[in-house]
Amino acid sequence: MITKEYIITASQGIHARPATTLIRLAKNFKSSISLKKADKTIKLNSMLNILSLGIKSGEQISIIIEGEDEISAVIALDQFFKDQLKDL
Amino acid sequence: MNEIKGIGVSPGISIGRACVISKSNAVATGTLLNDTNEILIAIECFDKAVISAMHEIEGIKTNTSLNLQYEDIAILETQIEFLSDPQIREDVVEVINTDKKNAGDAVLDVITNMVQIFLNMEDEYMRARSADVQDIGNRILRHLNNSGSLFTQTFGLDTIIIAEDILPSDTLAIDTKQVVGFATKIGSKTSHTAIIAKSKGIPAIVGCGELNVIKNDDVIILDGTSGMLFINPDEQLLIEYNQKKSVYDEQANQLKQLKTVQPVTIDGTLSKLLANISSPEDMEAVFENGGEGVGLLRTELLFMNRDSFPTEDEQFEFYKLIALQSKGKPIIVRTIDIGGDKQLPYFNLPIEENPFLGYRAIRICLDRIDLFITQLKAILRASIFGDLKIMLPMVSGVQEVRDAKKIIEQAKTELSQADINFNSKIEVGIMIEIPSAAITADILAKEVDFFSIGTNDLCQYTLAVDRMNEKISHLYDPFNPGVLRLIKYVIEQAHQHKIHVAMCGEMASDPMATLLLMGMGLTEFSMSASAIPAIKNIIINTDLNKAKEISNHVMTLDGSKAIITYLQEFTI
């Protein structure tokens, strides 16, 4: 299992568009991927659940990945949170 | 005639006839399912409806006649994700299974709950997402009942749609050849409906409140800029708005053509047009007008209209909000420029005989290091969210620069010790607005990363003219050869020392000065966002050799009267 923490720097936080991209990204992997904000954890496969966390700019989240392809999943997600997100 | 005021979310003026759309809310049937077989069939119906709804969206996405933009496609992609959301299916299946409700009632139940959850959120953006959830629900219901979309119907020419709310997918399906505007009872600036209207260029007003007075075929003037709606206006108002409309359309057209054009001269010299701003709210206009960043962020607004100094955290939030909207473009933050004519009620500055020659700007900062360091730390902390640069105002000589840089280093050290991230390579520049700074530009250029020429103060200090004194206002003249010589020298010294030089004073937005300044070698101009298109228009029609000729000739003229007469010849 891999856990990684990120501070969201995108101005609008995780709104509908990045959430869409994030879900589609997560679908590419066999690993089970969850997102945690404060004490709430959700599976990274539901728009509603991601949006209901209301992740705003400047907030801290963590990603929990567990499964056979967790290494490649973590690389992809790392790129998403560090580079892609702020342009979405 | 009636008038209604709402929130203008998509600018422009449209004049047309009303088409009132009344919403038919789906009502639960209350029919319960009898056995496991019916339950299985209900779940199957739901799954089929979702699949056919997804096909429908794919169809809209690939319909080229709708002329969808990138934003529109993104919204449709989001809808597809909503439709295939496992949480929605799980909830619907559970309601069908445990409450024995039919598929339609179950969807209605689940969606109503979810809409409520979004409506209860604190964040305005998230509340606006309730419309998307509602949209998904309606779409599934429509496919369950095999009924068509509201907006597959055709409208007459110049229709203005009046409705309680228009769902994002309906907005997308609107044919802009017929529908020229819409007004809704509810809605907000961040709703997808507003975003789509803007991307389609349809003037729109939301949040109008009661729209019952409007009947089908009423003549409507809709002003999406001011948010005003006029119902059955008199002839005079119609004429007035017809004129306004043609002016607006013309301007919008020009702006649109210029927005994405690079400010390059005919012979290929690239310039940079930046904006002067005072708050995070100004950022949208910067990019709307084709600005490539912020050449001057005035920070005074942060300190005004309050009764104590803002804390480091408050300042950090302000800078961060701007940095986050900057799309990686530079943001030049000018440190506190209070004093002079800008007084703060909670900061008791003694009344001075000559406030403009007194205790102000960097002079206060170097005296009250506590205030300065608080601001610097806030800027540094925000520097990880965007390309922030620090600019010091009212510098008169090199010692002030060295002292200020020492304090910047101290701020960095304090942050490092507290394990707080910042951009350690943040650029530091100065305003050139005091004649001594202009004359010693060769010395100062060795100490800083950039210059920004503040022509307003430079002019008043060079000519010894109080800007506020009406009796001598005719002497306040940026085209005075003395001022021009200083500007030219500053630009040359910056180039020689290979540092950036920009102008952020009023002169930068004066069309008469553009060629002259370019001829002097200036390529970075910062001005109020709305002035950018006009200056860009001059630049793209200019040849740099011609500009050099003009500036060389201006330098041979003996007074501003001759200079202005000469420059007027070349002003578009």
Side-chain angles (χ1 to χ4, degrees):
Chain A
M1 191 180 78
I2 305 175
T3 306
K4 284 214 84 168
E5 287 186 350
Y6 299 96
I7 290 176
I8 304 300
T9 55
S11 61
Q12 293 177 308
I14 300 191
H15 59 104
R17 192 148 75 207
T20 306
T21 314
L22 192 53
I23 289 172
R24 292 188 177 175
L25 186 66
K27 273 184 194 162
N28 293 330
F29 301 99
K30 293 195 191 95
S31 299
S32 137
I33 305 175
S34 326
L35 189 154
K36 183 166 179 255
K37 183 188 128 177
D39 52 356
K40 267 196 196 158
T41 307
I42 54 118
K43 283 249 177 288
L44 253 191
N45 62 2
S46 159
M47 273 297 275
L48 283 168
N49 289 343
I50 295 184
L51 290 183
S52 65
L53 288 181
I55 301 165
K56 292 203 240 1
S57 176
E59 288 186 332
Q60 185 174 326
I61 55 137
S62 29
I63 294 287
I64 303 120
I65 309 169
E66 188 163 21
E68 48 183 297
D69 54 1
E70 57 187 25
I71 304 283
S72 32
V74 86
I75 293 169
L77 286 163
D78 211 46
Q79 202 210 355
F80 174 84
F81 283 105
K82 283 187 176 153
D83 299 331
Q84 252 187 311
L85 180 58
K86 57 181 179 293
D87 299 324
L88 286 169
Chain B
M1 183 183 77
N2 275 306
E3 291 181 21
I4 293 173
K5 173 115 178 74
I7 309 162
V9 290
S10 176
I13 291 163
S14 44
I15 300 170
R17 289 193 181 274
C19 173
V20 182
I21 290 165
S22 44
K23 197 166 147 190
S24 53
N25 278 323
V27 192
T29 58
T31 337
L32 293 182
L33 305 171
N34 295 315
D35 51 37
T36 337
N37 196 30
E38 282 186 11
I39 287 175
L40 287 176
I41 291 171
I43 294 172
E44 202 186 318
C45 280
F46 170 77
D47 286 339
K48 274 187 182 159
V50 168
I51 288 167
S52 93
M54 299 228 294
H55 282 314
E56 186 186 38
I57 295 182
E58 292 289 351
I60 298 175
K61 238 175 69 186
T62 48
N63 183 344
T64 47
S65 72
L66 290 172
N67 197 11
L68 299 183
Q69 306 298 309
Y70 169 71
E71 286 93 349
D72 305 332
I73 303 275
I75 289 168
L76 291 172
E77 299 286 357
T78 298
Q79 293 221 341
I80 292 175
E81 270 331 302
F82 262 126
L83 276 171
S84 55
D85 193 313
Q87 190 65 51
I88 295 190
R89 185 175 188 276
E90 199 178 298
D91 289 359
V92 169
V93 169
E94 185 175 337
V95 173
I96 293 174
N97 266 325
T98 44
D99 301 348
K100 307 279 180 287
K101 287 192 176 173
N102 64 49
D105 288 2
V107 170
L108 210 56
D109 241 34
V110 169
I111 295 295
T112 311
N113 276 335
M114 284 179 176
V115 165
Q116 209 48 53
I117 291 174
F118 277 93
L119 282 178
N120 287 338
M121 285 192 187
E122 266 172 50
D123 189 66
E124 192 204 337
Y125 172 84
M126 288 302 172
R127 277 203 302 275
R129 297 290 71 74
S130 61
D132 296 281
V133 180
Q134 186 68 58
D135 197 6
I136 294 302
N138 291 7
R139 198 184 285 278
I140 300 175
L141 284 174
R142 234 174 39 226
H143 284 272
L144 273 172
N145 306 328
N146 290 319
S147 51
S149 161
L150 176 70
F151 280 85
T152 47
Q153 70 184 91
T154 47
F155 297 99
L157 279 180
D158 292 344
T159 295
I160 292 178
I161 292 176
I162 307 292
E164 173 161 336
D165 190 16
I166 302 177
L167 294 170
S169 60
D170 288 333
T171 322
L172 276 172
I174 286 175
D175 185 342
T176 48
K177 281 190 210 75
Q178 281 129 20
V179 176
V180 294
F182 60 75
T184 63
K185 186 174 155 184
I186 57 176
S188 74
K189 258 200 151 87
T190 53
S191 64
H192 275 155
T193 304
I195 295 168
I196 296 166
K198 228 169 150 182
S199 97
K200 286 195 153 201
I202 315 174
I205 304 178
V206 302
C208 295
E210 216 38 81
L211 289 167
N212 286 342
V213 289
I214 304 175
K215 304 279 173 289
N216 271 330
D217 288 327
D218 279 350
V219 174
I220 304 278
I221 295 174
L222 185 153
D223 184 344
T225 313
S226 66
M228 286 304 297
L229 205 60
F230 301 97
I231 301 120
N232 294 323
D234 54 33
E235 196 162 338
Q236 206 192 332
L237 198 69
L238 267 175
I239 293 170
E240 188 189 314
Y241 265 90
N242 254 317
Q243 279 167 350
K244 268 196 190 174
K245 181 176 158 54
S246 42
V247 171
Y248 179 88
D249 290 350
E250 167 88 6
Q251 279 175 349
N253 203 10
Q254 249 187 356
L255 194 69
K256 211 170 138 194
Q257 280 173 359
L258 281 174
K259 187 177 164 184
T260 51
V261 172
Q262 292 263 38
V264 184
T265 58
I266 298 170
D267 55 311
T269 312
L270 181 64
S271 3
K272 204 173 219 175
L273 298 179
L274 305 151
N276 298 346
I277 66 164
S278 308
S279 72
E281 288 77 40
D282 298 338
M283 282 304 285
E284 201 181 326
V286 174
F287 294 112
E288 288 274 298
N289 285 289
E292 295 164 89
V294 171
L296 167 64
L297 164 60
R298 303 184 187 91
T299 56
E300 288 75 66
L301 203 69
L302 247 172
F303 296 85
M304 277 140 79
N305 302 324
R306 40 184 305 137
D307 40 30
S308 63
F309 276 104
T311 62
E312 183 186 315
D313 280 342
E314 281 174 295
Q315 294 195 47
F316 166 65
E317 287 301 326
F318 180 91
Y319 306 130
K320 188 179 96 178
L321 212 53
I322 290 167
L324 287 171
Q325 296 178 73
S326 65
K327 308 186 181 176
K329 303 287 185 198
I331 304 284
I332 297 179
V333 188
R334 181 175 71 186
T335 55
I336 326 176
D337 195 14
I338 45 175
D341 56 336
K342 294 168 224 151
Q343 294 292 337
L344 301 176
Y346 53 89
F347 189 45
N348 249 335
L349 291 174
I351 293 175
E352 298 181 358
E353 197 98 1
N354 282 312
F356 278 103
L357 304 180
Y359 187 63
R360 60 175 290 205
I362 191 80
R363 299 167 182 182
I364 297 180
C365 290
L366 294 177
D367 180 49
R368 288 289 307 272
I369 294 173
D370 56 322
L371 299 178
F372 194 32
I373 221 159
T374 305
Q375 181 175 36
L376 290 170
K377 278 161 90 177
I379 297 171
L380 283 164
R381 280 169 60 192
S383 68
I384 56 164
F385 296 97
D387 184 14
L388 300 189
K389 303 172 198 282
I390 297 172
M391 178 159 73
L392 311 166
M394 279 291 286
V395 167
S396 65
V398 76
Q399 196 52 48
E400 283 162 338
V401 179
R402 289 183 184 144
D403 290 346
K405 278 165 73 181
K406 235 179 254 166
I407 300 171
I408 294 171
E409 286 312 310
Q410 189 191 330
K412 287 183 183 175
T413 312
E414 285 180 24
L415 289 176
S416 299
Q417 280 165 356
D419 224 2
I420 296 170
N421 280 336
F422 59 92
N423 172 14
S424 60
K425 295 197 180 76
I426 194 163
E427 289 187 13
V428 178
I430 54 172
M431 294 272 295
I432 302 284
E433 51 190 341
I434 296 180
S436 62
I439 294 166
T440 55
D442 56 328
I443 300 171
L444 294 169
K446 295 181 189 129
E447 294 285 332
V448 296
D449 298 308
F450 62 89
F451 287 157
S452 189
I453 307 171
T455 49
N456 305 358
D457 274 341
L458 184 61
C459 193
Q460 88 164 342
Y461 290 136
T462 306
L463 301 172
V465 173
D466 180 353
R467 277 199 271 160
M468 309 294 174
N469 188 336
E470 281 174 28
K471 268 197 177 150
I472 50 167
S473 64
H474 61 285
L475 292 173
Y476 177 82
D477 175 16
F479 292 99
N480 177 294
V483 179
L484 293 182
R485 274 167 170 69
L486 285 180
I487 293 173
K488 185 163 187 266
Y489 181 70
V490 172
I491 297 170
E492 285 168 358
Q493 285 307 316
H495 288 328
Q496 223 170 74
H497 291 87
K498 297 192 168 47
I499 64 168
H500 280 276
V501 56
M503 178 177 285
C504 64
E506 226 131 275
M507 200 178 191
S509 61
D510 183 349
M512 202 160 64
T514 313
L515 293 181
L516 170 64
L517 294 168
M518 288 186 71
M520 289 178 176
L522 190 75
T523 53
E524 293 181 29
F525 299 76
S526 191
M527 63 201 82
S528 72
S530 59
I532 291 175
I535 300 299
K536 192 190 268 184
N537 198 26
I538 295 174
I539 292 174
I540 58 175
N541 287 301
T542 298
D543 186 302
L544 194 62
N545 288 322
K546 181 76 195 161
K548 277 184 186 153
E549 236 174 74
I550 291 171
S551 102
N552 287 339
H553 184 71
V554 164
M555 298 317 276
T556 66
L557 298 173
D558 59 4
S560 66
K561 209 171 161 203
I563 293 171
I564 289 170
T565 316
Y566 174 71
L567 286 176
Q568 269 167 346
E569 265 180 66
F570 300 99
T571 308
I572 305 170

